[in-house]
Amino acid sequence: MAKKRASGEPWVIPGGFSVLSLQFSSSSSSRHCLYVKEHKVRAEKSKHRPLDRTLFLVNIPPYCSQVVVKGLFSQFGDIESVELRDHPGSSQESRPTISKLFRPPEKQGFKVGYIVFKSSSSLQAVKSYPFDAPLVVSTEERPVKTGVQKWIQQYSESFIQPDRLQQKVDNFMQNYDKHKEEEAERKKKEAEKQQEEDEGWVKVTRGHKGAKARPHSEAANEKTLQKEKRKKKRKELLNFYTWQHRNTQKEHIAELRKKFEEDKQRIALLRAQRKFKPY
C-alpha cells in the first residue's frame, strides 16, 4: 500500500525528481506537475551551468515562457539565467547569439529548462518545497495571456519595423566581421608560433616608442639551445635508421646471390650424375 504524504512535505519520485504543483491561476481547479532536480552531469563543462547552482526542469507547459519561469522561481532566490529547450542537451555557449528575428519559430509544446541561481541554497529551497502548495502562473502582478489575447499579441509582434530590422542586421554583421577578424588573427599567431618552433627562430618585434631593446635572457638562450639539441638528435636518429635500412638491403641482396650460386652448382651436379638406363 502506497505511503501517504504528510501535508507540507515535498514529493520525491524515483530518479531524484521533486514534484512541484503548478496552477495557472488562483481560480483554476486543475493542476500541472513539474519535475525538478539538481543538474549533475559529469560531462558538462559549460561555465553557464555550474553544477552546484543549476536546476533541471521537465514537463514545462507551453504557456510558461522564459519570463514566466523566472518569475515563478524567483521566490526561491536570485536567478542568474533561465534556458528553455525542446530537448535536454549541452549548453550552446560556444555558438554566437542570434536575434530572434533570424531564428525559426519555436515549437509550441512541452519543454525542459535549466535555471541557474546565484546561490546554491536556492536549490535546496526548491527541492524541499511542499507539493500541496501550488505555484501560481498568472497573477495580478504578472498576468499571462492565453487564447485569443495571446494570438492577438503574437500577430502584433510578427510585424517588424524596418528601422529595427536594419539595426539588427547591422549589429549582426558587425559582430560577424569582428569574429572573423579575431579568428584570422588567432590563426596567424598560431602559424607564426608553429613556424618559430619548427625553425628554432625567435621573432623580435619593435616595442612602443622610447622603449629600450631588452637582451635575450639566459632562460631564452637555454631554451633555444635545447631546441637545437633536440633537432640534431632527431636528425642523427633519422640518419641511423636510413643507414640501417640500407645495410639490411645490402645483406639481403648478398644472401640472394649466394643462394643463386649454390642452386647453380647443385643443378650442374645433378646433370653430371644423370645416366641413360633403358632397362
Side-chain angles (χ1 to χ4, degrees):
M1 185 175 181
K3 184 179 179 181
K4 293 184 178 180
R5 296 184 306 277
S7 178
E9 289 186 356
W11 182 16
V12 181
I13 62 175
F17 284 94
S18 299
V19 184
L20 299 182
S21 179
L22 199 66
Q23 191 173 351
F24 183 77
S25 63
S26 57
S27 60
S28 301
S29 58
S30 61
R31 295 183 180 181
H32 181 80
C33 290
L34 282 180
Y35 306 99
V36 300
K37 67 181 298 186
E38 186 177 353
H39 177 59
K40 290 183 179 180
V41 179
R42 294 181 180 179
E44 183 68 64
K45 299 179 180 180
S46 172
K47 297 180 180 179
H48 290 205
R49 295 180 187 170
L51 299 181
D52 57 337
R53 294 186 290 113
T54 305
L55 183 71
F56 177 58
L57 298 84
V58 180
N59 202 32
I60 302 175
Y63 52 80
C64 285
S65 62
Q66 192 170 350
V67 177
V68 173
V69 173
K70 186 174 183 179
L72 284 173
F73 287 86
S74 59
Q75 58 180 306
F76 301 104
D78 295 334
I79 295 177
E80 189 173 301
S81 65
V82 177
E83 181 185 359
L84 300 184
R85 303 186 60 178
D86 295 329
H87 305 284
S90 59
S91 178
Q92 304 295 331
E93 62 174 342
S94 59
R95 296 183 181 180
T97 304
I98 302 177
S99 173
K100 64 179 182 179
L101 300 177
F102 305 105
R103 291 197 297 261
E106 297 182 356
K107 297 179 180 179
Q108 299 298 325
F110 290 86
K111 296 182 180 295
V112 299
Y114 299 88
I115 301 178
V116 180
F117 291 97
K118 293 185 178 180
S119 175
S120 58
S121 60
S122 301
L123 293 178
Q124 301 301 326
V126 175
K127 292 191 293 184
S128 60
Y129 189 77
F131 173 76
D132 54 357
L135 301 175
V136 181
V137 177
S138 181
T139 60
E140 294 182 358
E141 294 78 12
R142 53 171 194 276
V144 178
K145 295 182 179 181
T146 58
V148 177
Q149 294 181 353
K150 183 179 180 180
W151 295 343
I152 294 174
Q153 182 181 359
Q154 291 177 350
Y155 179 75
S156 302
E157 292 176 352
S158 63
F159 294 96
I160 304 173
Q161 299 298 329
D163 53 347
R164 184 186 172 196
L165 179 60
Q166 185 64 44
Q167 183 181 2
K168 292 287 186 180
V169 172
D170 294 341
N171 293 337
F172 178 81
M173 293 306 299
Q174 289 177 2
N175 294 334
Y176 178 79
D177 294 339
K178 183 179 179 181
H179 176 72
K180 282 294 184 182
E181 291 176 359
E182 292 176 353
E183 186 70 16
E185 186 68 20
R186 184 184 63 82
K187 290 183 178 180
K188 182 179 179 182
K189 290 182 179 180
E190 290 180 356
E192 291 178 353
K193 185 178 179 180
Q194 185 66 29
Q195 184 177 3
E196 291 171 5
E197 292 178 354
D198 294 341
E199 298 180 356
W201 293 94
V202 178
K203 184 179 180 181
V204 180
T205 57
R206 185 176 181 180
H208 61 275
K209 189 176 181 181
K212 295 182 179 180
R214 293 179 297 177
H216 288 288
S217 63
E218 186 176 351
N221 293 336
E222 183 66 22
K223 186 177 180 180
T224 304
L225 290 176
Q226 292 295 334
K227 287 183 179 179
E228 291 296 330
K229 289 181 180 179
R230 287 195 297 268
K231 288 178 63 177
K232 186 177 180 180
K233 189 175 181 180
R234 286 197 300 267
K235 188 175 181 181
E236 291 176 353
L237 187 62
L238 182 62
N239 292 338
F240 170 76
Y241 285 137
T242 304
W243 171 83
Q244 188 181 28
H245 181 66
R246 189 181 299 114
N247 191 29
T248 304
Q249 285 183 336
K250 289 182 178 179
E251 292 178 355
H252 183 63
I253 293 173
E255 186 69 22
L256 290 176
R257 288 177 177 174
K258 181 180 178 181
K259 189 176 180 181
F260 178 71
E261 292 296 332
E262 291 176 355
D263 292 342
K264 285 176 62 177
Q265 293 177 5
R266 188 180 299 108
I267 292 172
L269 182 62
L270 291 174
R271 286 179 177 175
Q273 294 176 352
R274 186 174 58 185
K275 296 181 180 179
F276 179 72
K277 296 180 180 181
Y279 305 104

